[in-house]
Amino acid sequence: PPLHGLAGILESWRSILELPPPIKVSHIRGEIIRGLALVTCMEQIEETQLSATNVFVWEDGQWKMAFHQSGISQAIENSDFNPNGSLH
């Protein structure tokens, strides 16, 4: 279910970071536009396939996550993936 409110979101992150599940990441795509990095990928957590979007900002000499969103997605066949292809 969706999380609402800062307290619920922070508690969710705390529980994930204290005992993170094994996550297989694939199909990573990224673009850097000035001080902003946009990264998309597929995440496999047990039997669940997720499509994720992450936004990072360059701050104080390092990349810091500013946004993360993921949702259940259909599985992507590796043979269809072209890392040099267009994002559109």
Side-chain angles (χ1 to χ4, degrees):
L3 296 172
H4 299 283
L6 182 59
I9 292 168
L10 291 176
E11 181 55 36
S12 175
W13 273 104
R14 236 179 250 109
S15 70
I16 290 169
L17 295 174
E18 284 177 4
L19 188 61
I23 301 172
K24 280 180 55 179
V25 179
S26 64
H27 300 84
I28 301 167
R29 302 289 303 266
E31 292 288 329
I32 296 175
I33 304 168
R34 298 185 185 167
L36 190 71
L38 309 170
V39 180
T40 61
C41 66
M42 299 302 291
E43 300 174 340
Q44 183 80 31
I45 303 173
E46 297 177 355
E47 299 301 315
T48 304
Q49 180 84 28
L50 302 169
S51 175
T53 302
N54 299 286
V55 178
F56 298 87
V57 293
W58 184 255
E59 187 176 289
D60 300 326
Q62 60 184 334
W63 289 107
K64 296 183 179 181
M65 183 180 281
F67 174 83
H68 168 79
Q69 181 278 329
S70 65
I72 295 175
S73 177
Q74 292 181 332
I76 293 178
E77 298 295 327
N78 285 332
S79 60
D80 294 338
F81 178 65
N82 178 359
N84 299 314
S86 172
L87 290 174
H88 312 251

